[in-house]
Amino acid sequence: MISFYPGPSRVLDTIPQYVAEAHREGILSMNHRSEECMLLIQRTISLLKDKLEIPIDYSIYFTSSATECWEIIAQSAVEKSSVHIFNGAFGQKWFDYTRRLNSNTKSFEFHREDSIPVEDISAHDGDLLCITQNETSNGTQVSGSELEKIRKKFNDKLIAVDATSSMAGIFLNLSDADIWFASVQKCFGLPAGLALMICSPKAISRIKSINERLHYNSLTYIDSMMQKWQTPFTPNVLGIYLLMRSLQDRDSIHDVYQKIVQRFDLWIDLFSNMRSLKLLISNASVRSNTVIPVAASSGLISKVKLEARKMGYILGEGYGELKNESFRVANFPALADQEVNNLMNFFTDSGY
Ligand SMILES: *Cc1c(COP(=O)(O)O)cnc(C)c1O
């Protein structure tokens, strides 16, 4: 079975080999305070900076999930309040988790067919803006040029970006925001249980001045441990090793991005020419490159999912309120050309 689910998704073919190596080399029982583990973490961070073109002065931390990153940001990076700008279920969840910790949290919603309305956004007295770059639930994205505009307009604020289903798949200009995060079970092609948080020097100095220290995962504490290439708790050492090994074998982010866009164009072309299966998002300028939602009657949606499964392909369920009337196709780097071609042929041959 090949999973085109937009996370967890198909993992890299090299995973079994990397796991065997990890076992052979004693990684699975490695002490997380040992010299070897510190070297592993240091090496992984330097590969991340290199392969994802992360600015050299940004800091990288390991957490367990993107959900944990939502909470870390709410605890450690907000002075008075954050403003959440979103158009779908993941942005909404981030807002909901934050609101439980801080009743001053504000939201600004826009429609999934619209570009993020940079002109209309007001930060009020908020000090942190929260943006979901790639809204996995409805297959829309905030473009690089819009992020750049937001950076310019709110230069005195911190900007946090959820890039969970796009990081390592598309090129992101990380200097346009202060806090970025993603878990690895999407575009990294790795098993779940590890996430990255990437912070600008401005974010770190703000976090140090807030100096929140109430939690095991307070960012001040995580940052001070990372000075010694360590984490507050025993981290997912196997996950970090798999990340390190896969980064060693990874193409540059520009090459990966080019491949993703080529496939994206083919998918868009295919679904633009189907009779009953239609792209959920009609505004071409907001479509996500990595998650493609397709809409039809609920009867046809269940039929297509079932037929695809018989061929060995798992399509992603529609998310939330879009569950019955749509499915989602992941366009993640770990999917092989042959698998993508086969699934495309399945759709073309179906005549739907
Ligand atoms: C998948 C996803 C999450 C949740 O990731 P976890 O690792 O399960 O916490 C958060 N935000 C977005 C945009 C996602 O796609």
Side-chain angles (χ1 to χ4, degrees):
M1 280 290 193
I2 301 299
S3 178
F4 278 82
Y5 221 106
S9 191
R10 185 200 196 294
V11 295
L12 299 164
D13 280 327
T14 41
I15 297 296
Q17 170 207 325
Y18 297 156
V19 173
E21 276 174 25
H23 183 226
R24 212 166 43 235
E25 291 170 20
I27 304 288
L28 300 184
S29 38
M30 179 184 260
N31 185 299
H32 60 295
R33 306 283 173 228
S34 67
E35 193 68 34
E36 292 92 325
C37 194
M38 285 153 70
L39 277 170
L40 169 65
I41 289 179
Q42 185 178 10
R43 176 104 191 91
T44 310
I45 285 175
S46 116
L47 279 161
L48 279 166
K49 286 198 169 168
D50 182 30
K51 294 289 168 114
L52 299 184
E53 300 198 0
I54 298 170
I56 205 81
D57 56 353
Y58 276 43
S59 308
I60 304 177
Y61 309 101
F62 295 115
T63 66
S64 308
S65 68
T67 304
E68 187 190 0
C69 295
W70 290 338
E71 224 170 65
I72 291 175
I73 292 168
Q75 290 162 9
S76 301
V78 180
E79 243 168 70
K80 262 163 99 180
S81 71
S82 52
V83 184
H84 295 247
I85 304 138
F86 58 88
N87 71 0
F90 283 98
Q92 170 84 50
K93 272 197 191 176
W94 185 2
F95 170 59
D96 290 339
Y97 277 102
T98 307
R99 194 164 43 161
R100 274 178 228 151
L101 294 174
N102 179 349
S103 56
N104 281 326
T105 307
K106 311 271 185 343
S107 67
F108 185 103
E109 288 187 57
F110 61 103
H111 191 265
R112 62 172 183 259
E113 290 288 351
D114 295 334
S115 306
I116 188 163
V118 183
E119 310 296 323
D120 304 338
I121 300 168
S122 156
H124 301 289
D125 58 350
D127 41 273
L128 174 81
L129 300 186
C130 298
I131 295 163
T132 305
Q133 190 276 324
N134 200 65
E135 181 47 77
T136 321
S137 68
N138 59 26
T140 60
Q141 70 176 342
V142 177
S143 71
S145 64
E146 286 156 343
L147 286 174
E148 200 181 324
K149 281 188 217 153
I150 295 169
R151 167 82 291 169
K152 288 214 175 89
K153 178 169 171 182
F154 298 102
N155 204 26
D156 57 327
K157 311 285 179 193
L158 284 187
I159 300 171
V161 181
D162 181 341
T164 301
S165 53
S166 55
M167 189 185 287
I170 73 169
F171 175 76
L172 297 163
N173 185 4
L174 300 191
S175 38
D176 282 332
D178 301 294
I179 304 177
W180 295 81
F181 56 92
S183 36
V184 299
Q185 72 273 20
K186 299 190 180 168
C187 289
F188 285 91
L190 298 171
L194 181 70
L196 310 173
M197 193 156 174
I198 303 170
C199 294
S200 71
K202 181 170 144 192
I204 295 306
S205 88
R206 185 79 61 88
I207 285 151
K208 285 185 174 159
S209 83
I210 296 171
N211 197 26
E212 181 278 311
R213 291 176 177 277
L214 298 175
H215 306 273
Y216 81 97
N217 59 3
S218 293
L219 202 44
T220 28
Y221 185 31
I222 294 180
D223 175 70
S224 70
M225 293 303 286
M226 196 46 107
Q227 303 310 312
K228 313 174 274 186
W229 311 109
Q230 292 188 21
T231 49
F233 54 93
T234 317
N236 180 349
V237 178
L238 175 61
I240 296 171
Y241 180 80
L242 297 178
L243 176 62
M244 193 276 286
R245 284 296 285 112
S246 62
L247 286 166
Q248 286 177 329
D249 295 347
R250 216 172 208 275
D251 291 333
S252 85
I253 186 64
H254 298 285
D255 292 346
V256 174
Y257 186 26
Q258 196 179 3
K259 184 168 115 179
I260 291 298
V261 171
Q262 274 165 7
R263 284 179 180 174
F264 167 77
D265 289 341
L266 292 174
W267 279 120
I268 296 302
D269 194 43
L270 186 149
F271 288 118
S272 303
N273 292 302
M274 303 274 315
R275 222 162 355 127
S276 314
L277 296 176
K278 298 287 171 207
L279 289 160
L280 175 73
I281 302 298
S282 359
N283 179 356
S285 71
V286 301
R287 283 180 191 143
S288 158
N289 292 126
T290 53
V291 180
I292 300 158
V294 177
S297 69
S298 59
L300 183 57
I301 293 292
S302 352
K303 194 165 163 204
V304 171
K305 283 190 296 198
L306 201 68
E307 286 176 10
R309 193 174 269 271
K310 281 189 194 141
M311 305 272 298
Y313 299 107
I314 300 170
L315 300 176
E317 298 277 334
Y319 198 95
E321 56 177 28
L322 303 166
K323 189 171 169 67
N324 296 325
E325 280 81 37
S326 69
F327 60 77
R328 293 171 299 158
V329 181
N331 182 28
F332 290 169
L335 290 154
D337 287 334
Q338 189 60 54
E339 295 155 2
V340 175
N341 287 343
N342 288 351
L343 186 62
M344 285 182 177
N345 289 337
F346 158 78
F347 283 118
T348 314
D349 294 346
S350 75
Y352 294 139

